[in-house]
Amino acid sequence: MSRPSAVPGAELARELAAVLRGEVRFGTAERTVYSHDASNYRQLPLGVVKPADLDDVRTTLALCRQYGVPVVSRGAGTSIGGQAIGPGAVVLDFRRHLGAVLDVDPQARTARVQPGAVLDDLQRAARPHGLRFGPDPSTHSRCTLGGMIGNDSCGAHSLAWGRTSDNVERLDLLLADGTELTVGGRLTPEERAALRTLPGRPGELHRQLQEFTDRNLAAIRQGLPALPRRTSGYPLDALLPEHGHDLARALTGTEGTCALLLGATVRLVEEPPARALVVAGYPDEGAAADAVPALLPLGPLTAEGMAADLIAALLAAGPRPPALDRLPAGECWLFLETGGATPVEAYQAARRLADAVRRERAASVSLVTDPAEQRQLWAVREAGAGIVTRLPGGGEAWPGWEDSAVPPERLGDYLRDLRALLRRHSLRGVPYGHFGDGCVHLRIDFPLDEPAGVLVFREFLEQAADLVVSYGGSLSGEHGDGQARGELLPRMYPPDVIALFGEFKRIWDPEHLLNPGAVVDPRPLDADLRFVTAPRRPLPLALPFEQDGGSLAKAVHRCVGVAKCVDPSTGVMCPSYMATGEERHSTRGRARLLAEMLRGLGAPPGRQAGGAIADGWRSTEVREALDLCLSCKGCASDCPVHVDMATYKAEFLYQHYRHRPRPLAHYSMGWLPLWLRATALAPGAANTLARSPAAGLLKRLGGIDRRRVLPVLPPETFTRWYRRHRAAHPAPAGARPVLLWPDTFSDHLQPNVLRSAVEVLEHLGFDVRLPTGPVCCGLTWYSTGQLGTARRVLRRSLRVLADDGLPADTPVVGMDPSCTATLREDLPRLLGPAGRPLAERTRTFAEFLDQYAPDAPLPRVPLDAVTQTHCHQHAVLGSAADRRVEARLGLHNRVLDSGCCGLAGNFGFERGHFEVSEAIAERVLLPEVRAAAPDTVVLADGFSCRTQIAQLAQGRQALHLAELISRALREQR
């Protein structure tokens, strides 16, 4: 019974906070972040609990039961049907603290996991034993076992190793009334009888379930279609006597609506030691699907389909992956993987498949045995859910009809009819998926930001449901129902089966406390859509957002919840999340907060949009979430849909502080180019002051963390040295000119980088020039949201360059990646067409050597090295040229998978950021640098990276590539 309360949310939050060890978050920011998953829906919860242990789960459920507040379980929040959100619910985030792989038993081939255990963590624990968990969704680097059990997830290898329900041994459950029990697999009649005699609630539950099954044998046998992929509705057929009354299987795929998962024992399968990949090309996806049934008897581990429009969407979003060169001719491709105990065995199995493909006259084939190339091709397939949210022409595409499934032998005809249905509604989409299991993923360009678009959405889904049922298929073949398909279940199942779903839930959860509105008594499929209240009128913005039609709302809606940003294992994105583990510090979390803020900003005058964030650009919740964004740009490249949080942050800071006082750091470090130019007049005095007792006061006044060491100013800037150098060493006649960009940090703080560049470029015969006056890329102003000043600085720099008298095609070499990336990407963004000529001729140092001196002899540097890649270079500039130059040097280099260094320009110096900055560096970078041998060269082209290493790596010093080459040149003389 509910306990009356005037403010139930506040009272419940206070009681939870008083007794739980984990976090209790009922504030606006956390509620907003957890109001979305990877679906089309937005539902504000009452609050969020991140349990520290299972006792926290028990206590939370008990208190929610007392208050009558529903409970929603959540793993990585990648559910596409809306299963991981709930209006007015308390969301239990299991991933934050309950993510352990407790045990791997190689003899029994099982593993025990907590509900928040990430799939890749389980795979890493099982791999030393030659084992793995069979199902492998494309979100494997962040999806949790609890979420996989909730949705009965599958993945590419379900053809060989089945769905999650095929691989569950036991489930440890907590019921809504507080009862705990463990359910296992198939039962003998004797075991079933023993369960009926258990005392208390467990015995009552088993009696109810067995009586329920016995009463409805005919309805269950006749009403649930037999399919390789059927995850719509409840899997009641697992309760049948011929299936052993398998309660673990019956509960897998129930979307957290029947019980909370406290732990699970799952079965493992043998990992093939070697693999090969056959890529078969066909004229279209219908032909590819038609070919599958004849190939399945040959035993491929996968039969994944991917059409040319997915590749077109990939190419429209970014550079062409080299692995695409291995795709044979065609407009749709099947990825047919084979395994074996040895590479030869895997290759022979692949040859048999390839020979079978070649028997089709219209088919072509490629056989890939190189593991690296296989990984690259699979990466394209795994990124599909993100890639196809932007169609090749730039249109937006959304889930809705995401994973329908039919018998594999009927898939070709179903795909042709599905394409025809799309055409009738003037809709477009990119189908791909698990063709071997008859399951198709499809994102569609529903016009959900228009009122009439919601009607199109509903009409299409209803007709698509009727279509898939006419083929004997399932509304969902992998992702479950949630709100997206729950309302459509009566189109797939007869009324008596729908009634059985409700009765089954009531046996487990009679008060409908657990994830109400999913599967049973579902919310309408067109309610709670997150797009409908997007701004209807253009907002005045400082940046163009040219890839999103000038709309910040469209830009933040790029985020569809794929959640690659909460994968802490690799890449640059997202360093603040890697350090804090907090969802609001992820790219996805920040996008959700910005979207919530924008709900009200574009509403017509006098109309309330109903958003949780009511103060628009003045929002403290958005400001605080963006405060720990390092503007590393990692999301712009690593996110499958290219969410660009650094740009969104710059726009927000501009609007937030417009006509208002700014943080002290915006004046000290945002205007650093001017302060450095002033201190260059008396560097000795500035250094004395910075090392005096007054340094602490300077740091406080500048908003700088007291633990940071202020850089030492050199006695002479680079530009002054250059004037002396050029006077003493005139450029040789006829030498090709190159313009060296004297960025602020290199010029005023580390001039040796620029001097080394001059030495190398002159050795190669170039005439190194400098701009005729002061120039600046404006980065420090841009990153702090002082966009008007950044524009003025850049316009002034362009005027200086216009007076240099050099040919218009003279290459410009930037030595610091952040400055170079600003010229390459942000300059045209700020100045439009006027900035494009400079952007197009700007090169990194390595790019210049690779393009303009490809055959020039470079010194041999046969040393070991480790490289920290600057995050802006990773995201904007790329490092392919660096690797080619290093090969010419003979350098034995290892590029660290360390992501952002954590300093990120002004970020790591600002007060309040030191702990996060240090934690980011300690994740990979600093341990690797400390472990490197004394004679190992540490390379870092970024000033920030070199500074972070110098200040936190116990005296190790990193070099710019130019410094390494110039040192080698001097040693050769």
mmCIF file of all heavy atoms in Angstrom, residues 563-575 577-578 587 632-640 643 874 899-900:
data_model
loop_
_atom_site.group_PDB
_atom_site.id
_atom_site.type_symbol
_atom_site.label_atom_id
_atom_site.label_comp_id
_atom_site.label_asym_id
_atom_site.label_seq_id
_atom_site.Cartn_x
_atom_site.Cartn_y
_atom_site.Cartn_z
ATOM 1 N N ALA A 563 25.557 4.913 -27.490
ATOM 2 C CA ALA A 563 26.333 4.836 -26.243
ATOM 3 C C ALA A 563 27.767 4.374 -26.426
ATOM 4 O O ALA A 563 28.375 3.863 -25.490
ATOM 5 C CB ALA A 563 25.621 3.947 -25.222
ATOM 6 N N LYS A 564 28.348 4.592 -27.591
ATOM 7 C CA LYS A 564 29.769 4.290 -27.715
ATOM 8 C C LYS A 564 30.594 5.170 -26.775
ATOM 9 O O LYS A 564 31.700 4.810 -26.386
ATOM 10 C CB LYS A 564 30.218 4.493 -29.167
ATOM 11 C CG LYS A 564 31.610 3.940 -29.435
ATOM 12 C CD LYS A 564 32.010 4.099 -30.892
ATOM 13 C CE LYS A 564 33.429 3.574 -31.120
ATOM 14 N NZ LYS A 564 33.876 3.791 -32.508
ATOM 15 N N CYS A 565 30.029 6.311 -26.390
ATOM 16 C CA CYS A 565 30.740 7.228 -25.504
ATOM 17 C C CYS A 565 30.857 6.706 -24.082
ATOM 18 O O CYS A 565 31.600 7.277 -23.280
ATOM 19 C CB CYS A 565 30.064 8.593 -25.494
ATOM 20 S SG CYS A 565 28.295 8.532 -25.110
ATOM 21 N N VAL A 566 30.121 5.652 -23.719
ATOM 22 C CA VAL A 566 30.272 5.085 -22.383
ATOM 23 C C VAL A 566 31.059 3.783 -22.424
ATOM 24 O O VAL A 566 31.027 2.993 -21.475
ATOM 25 C CB VAL A 566 28.911 4.887 -21.683
ATOM 26 C CG1 VAL A 566 28.192 6.212 -21.542
ATOM 27 C CG2 VAL A 566 28.037 3.877 -22.398
ATOM 28 N N ASP A 567 31.785 3.581 -23.509
ATOM 29 C CA ASP A 567 32.751 2.485 -23.593
ATOM 30 C C ASP A 567 34.085 3.013 -23.087
ATOM 31 O O ASP A 567 34.724 3.818 -23.757
ATOM 32 C CB ASP A 567 32.876 2.014 -25.048
ATOM 33 C CG ASP A 567 34.064 1.071 -25.252
ATOM 34 O OD1 ASP A 567 34.624 0.596 -24.253
ATOM 35 O OD2 ASP A 567 34.416 0.824 -26.427
ATOM 36 N N PRO A 568 34.533 2.600 -21.893
ATOM 37 C CA PRO A 568 35.749 3.175 -21.323
ATOM 38 C C PRO A 568 37.024 2.473 -21.745
ATOM 39 O O PRO A 568 38.103 2.788 -21.243
ATOM 40 C CB PRO A 568 35.522 2.993 -19.816
ATOM 41 C CG PRO A 568 34.740 1.719 -19.731
ATOM 42 C CD PRO A 568 33.873 1.669 -20.968
ATOM 43 N N SER A 569 36.931 1.544 -22.688
ATOM 44 C CA SER A 569 38.076 0.676 -22.937
ATOM 45 C C SER A 569 39.051 1.206 -23.973
ATOM 46 O O SER A 569 40.226 0.849 -23.954
ATOM 47 C CB SER A 569 37.582 -0.710 -23.385
ATOM 48 O OG SER A 569 36.826 -0.610 -24.585
ATOM 49 N N THR A 570 38.592 2.048 -24.884
ATOM 50 C CA THR A 570 39.473 2.440 -25.976
ATOM 51 C C THR A 570 39.003 3.741 -26.595
ATOM 52 O O THR A 570 37.903 4.211 -26.336
ATOM 53 C CB THR A 570 39.508 1.330 -27.059
ATOM 54 O OG1 THR A 570 40.494 1.652 -28.043
ATOM 55 C CG2 THR A 570 38.158 1.184 -27.741
ATOM 56 N N GLY A 571 39.867 4.345 -27.442
ATOM 57 C CA GLY A 571 39.503 5.539 -28.177
ATOM 58 C C GLY A 571 39.646 6.805 -27.354
ATOM 59 O O GLY A 571 40.053 6.796 -26.197
ATOM 60 N N VAL A 572 39.291 7.936 -27.975
ATOM 61 C CA VAL A 572 39.382 9.238 -27.317
ATOM 62 C C VAL A 572 38.092 9.567 -26.569
ATOM 63 O O VAL A 572 38.114 10.079 -25.459
ATOM 64 C CB VAL A 572 39.704 10.328 -28.355
ATOM 65 C CG1 VAL A 572 39.628 11.713 -27.729
ATOM 66 C CG2 VAL A 572 41.099 10.091 -28.942
ATOM 67 N N MET A 573 36.954 9.285 -27.183
ATOM 68 C CA MET A 573 35.658 9.590 -26.565
ATOM 69 C C MET A 573 35.361 8.591 -25.447
ATOM 70 O O MET A 573 35.525 7.384 -25.649
ATOM 71 C CB MET A 573 34.590 9.516 -27.649
ATOM 72 C CG MET A 573 33.183 9.771 -27.169
ATOM 73 S SD MET A 573 31.954 9.646 -28.496
ATOM 74 C CE MET A 573 31.996 7.898 -28.867
ATOM 75 N N CYS A 574 34.891 9.008 -24.307
ATOM 76 C CA CYS A 574 34.726 10.368 -23.827
ATOM 77 C C CYS A 574 35.564 10.462 -22.551
ATOM 78 O O CYS A 574 35.288 9.754 -21.575
ATOM 79 C CB CYS A 574 33.252 10.642 -23.541
ATOM 80 S SG CYS A 574 32.905 12.225 -22.756
ATOM 81 N N PRO A 575 36.620 11.290 -22.531
ATOM 82 C CA PRO A 575 37.578 11.257 -21.415
ATOM 83 C C PRO A 575 36.976 11.578 -20.064
ATOM 84 O O PRO A 575 37.347 10.970 -19.059
ATOM 85 C CB PRO A 575 38.633 12.286 -21.824
ATOM 86 C CG PRO A 575 37.994 13.131 -22.870
ATOM 87 C CD PRO A 575 37.010 12.248 -23.570
ATOM 88 N N TYR A 577 33.912 10.969 -19.050
ATOM 89 C CA TYR A 577 33.172 9.800 -18.594
ATOM 90 C C TYR A 577 34.133 8.709 -18.126
ATOM 91 O O TYR A 577 33.881 8.032 -17.112
ATOM 92 C CB TYR A 577 32.265 9.247 -19.692
ATOM 93 C CG TYR A 577 31.567 7.977 -19.255
ATOM 94 C CD1 TYR A 577 30.414 8.045 -18.490
ATOM 95 C CD2 TYR A 577 32.094 6.728 -19.563
ATOM 96 C CE1 TYR A 577 29.789 6.894 -18.047
ATOM 97 C CE2 TYR A 577 31.475 5.570 -19.117
ATOM 98 C CZ TYR A 577 30.323 5.654 -18.363
ATOM 99 O OH TYR A 577 29.716 4.498 -17.918
ATOM 100 N N MET A 578 35.236 8.532 -18.843
ATOM 101 C CA MET A 578 36.207 7.525 -18.426
ATOM 102 C C MET A 578 36.739 7.797 -17.024
ATOM 103 O O MET A 578 37.065 6.881 -16.276
ATOM 104 C CB MET A 578 37.365 7.474 -19.424
ATOM 105 C CG MET A 578 36.997 6.924 -20.791
ATOM 106 S SD MET A 578 38.438 6.920 -21.890
ATOM 107 C CE MET A 578 37.717 6.343 -23.423
ATOM 108 N N THR A 587 29.195 11.981 -23.586
ATOM 109 C CA THR A 587 28.666 12.721 -24.737
ATOM 110 C C THR A 587 27.161 12.565 -24.809
ATOM 111 O O THR A 587 26.419 13.532 -25.048
ATOM 112 C CB THR A 587 29.319 12.203 -26.033
ATOM 113 O OG1 THR A 587 30.737 12.304 -25.912
ATOM 114 C CG2 THR A 587 28.859 13.003 -27.232
ATOM 115 N N CYS A 632 37.659 17.948 -26.421
ATOM 116 C CA CYS A 632 38.712 17.164 -27.083
ATOM 117 C C CYS A 632 38.356 16.828 -28.521
ATOM 118 O O CYS A 632 39.207 16.363 -29.273
ATOM 119 C CB CYS A 632 38.971 15.886 -26.301
ATOM 120 S SG CYS A 632 37.611 14.689 -26.370
ATOM 121 N N LYS A 633 37.094 16.984 -28.904
ATOM 122 C CA LYS A 633 36.574 16.675 -30.237
ATOM 123 C C LYS A 633 36.555 15.180 -30.520
ATOM 124 O O LYS A 633 36.284 14.757 -31.644
ATOM 125 C CB LYS A 633 37.372 17.385 -31.341
ATOM 126 C CG LYS A 633 37.294 18.913 -31.306
ATOM 127 C CD LYS A 633 38.088 19.523 -32.448
ATOM 128 C CE LYS A 633 38.040 21.043 -32.444
ATOM 129 N NZ LYS A 633 36.801 21.567 -33.004
ATOM 130 N N GLY A 634 36.846 14.349 -29.512
ATOM 131 C CA GLY A 634 36.842 12.913 -29.739
ATOM 132 C C GLY A 634 35.509 12.401 -30.231
ATOM 133 O O GLY A 634 35.438 11.516 -31.089
ATOM 134 N N CYS A 635 34.406 12.968 -29.707
ATOM 135 C CA CYS A 635 33.087 12.510 -30.129
ATOM 136 C C CYS A 635 32.829 12.835 -31.596
ATOM 137 O O CYS A 635 32.122 12.100 -32.285
ATOM 138 C CB CYS A 635 32.008 13.104 -29.243
ATOM 139 S SG CYS A 635 32.120 14.892 -29.000
ATOM 140 N N ALA A 636 33.390 13.932 -32.081
ATOM 141 C CA ALA A 636 33.153 14.325 -33.476
ATOM 142 C C ALA A 636 33.674 13.281 -34.444
ATOM 143 O O ALA A 636 33.191 13.179 -35.578
ATOM 144 C CB ALA A 636 33.803 15.677 -33.758
ATOM 145 N N SER A 637 34.669 12.493 -34.015
ATOM 146 C CA SER A 637 35.202 11.449 -34.889
ATOM 147 C C SER A 637 34.802 10.059 -34.422
ATOM 148 O O SER A 637 34.485 9.191 -35.236
ATOM 149 C CB SER A 637 36.726 11.537 -34.962
ATOM 150 O OG SER A 637 37.305 11.345 -33.684
ATOM 151 N N ASP A 638 34.793 9.808 -33.110
ATOM 152 C CA ASP A 638 34.556 8.455 -32.613
ATOM 153 C C ASP A 638 33.087 8.095 -32.521
ATOM 154 O O ASP A 638 32.724 6.920 -32.599
ATOM 155 C CB ASP A 638 35.184 8.290 -31.225
ATOM 156 C CG ASP A 638 36.709 8.323 -31.269
ATOM 157 O OD1 ASP A 638 37.259 8.534 -32.370
ATOM 158 O OD2 ASP A 638 37.341 8.150 -30.218
ATOM 159 N N CYS A 639 32.225 9.081 -32.316
ATOM 160 C CA CYS A 639 30.790 8.811 -32.232
ATOM 161 C C CYS A 639 30.279 8.391 -33.610
ATOM 162 O O CYS A 639 30.572 9.059 -34.603
ATOM 163 C CB CYS A 639 30.053 10.058 -31.753
ATOM 164 S SG CYS A 639 28.252 9.918 -31.830
ATOM 165 N N PRO A 640 29.535 7.293 -33.707
ATOM 166 C CA PRO A 640 29.051 6.853 -35.024
ATOM 167 C C PRO A 640 28.199 7.894 -35.734
ATOM 168 O O PRO A 640 28.124 7.899 -36.959
ATOM 169 C CB PRO A 640 28.226 5.600 -34.700
ATOM 170 C CG PRO A 640 28.739 5.122 -33.391
ATOM 171 C CD PRO A 640 29.155 6.345 -32.636
ATOM 172 N N VAL A 643 28.322 13.280 -33.133
ATOM 173 C CA VAL A 643 27.962 14.344 -32.194
ATOM 174 C C VAL A 643 29.230 15.134 -31.902
ATOM 175 O O VAL A 643 30.283 14.565 -31.614
ATOM 176 C CB VAL A 643 27.385 13.741 -30.900
ATOM 177 C CG1 VAL A 643 27.239 14.798 -29.817
ATOM 178 C CG2 VAL A 643 26.038 13.082 -31.187
ATOM 179 N N HIS A 874 43.714 13.392 -33.654
ATOM 180 C CA HIS A 874 42.926 12.176 -33.848
ATOM 181 C C HIS A 874 41.593 12.492 -34.510
ATOM 182 O O HIS A 874 41.163 11.807 -35.443
ATOM 183 C CB HIS A 874 42.701 11.501 -32.493
ATOM 184 C CG HIS A 874 41.646 10.441 -32.503
ATOM 185 N ND1 HIS A 874 41.907 9.129 -32.837
ATOM 186 C CD2 HIS A 874 40.305 10.496 -32.232
ATOM 187 C CE1 HIS A 874 40.791 8.423 -32.766
ATOM 188 N NE2 HIS A 874 39.806 9.235 -32.399
ATOM 189 N N GLY A 899 43.874 7.891 -25.546
ATOM 190 C CA GLY A 899 42.876 8.937 -25.609
ATOM 191 C C GLY A 899 43.450 10.291 -25.255
ATOM 192 O O GLY A 899 44.633 10.572 -25.467
ATOM 193 N N CYS A 900 42.616 11.141 -24.693
ATOM 194 C CA CYS A 900 43.034 12.497 -24.341
ATOM 195 C C CYS A 900 44.019 12.455 -23.182
ATOM 196 O O CYS A 900 43.910 11.631 -22.275
ATOM 197 C CB CYS A 900 41.802 13.318 -23.965
ATOM 198 S SG CYS A 900 42.156 15.047 -23.575
#
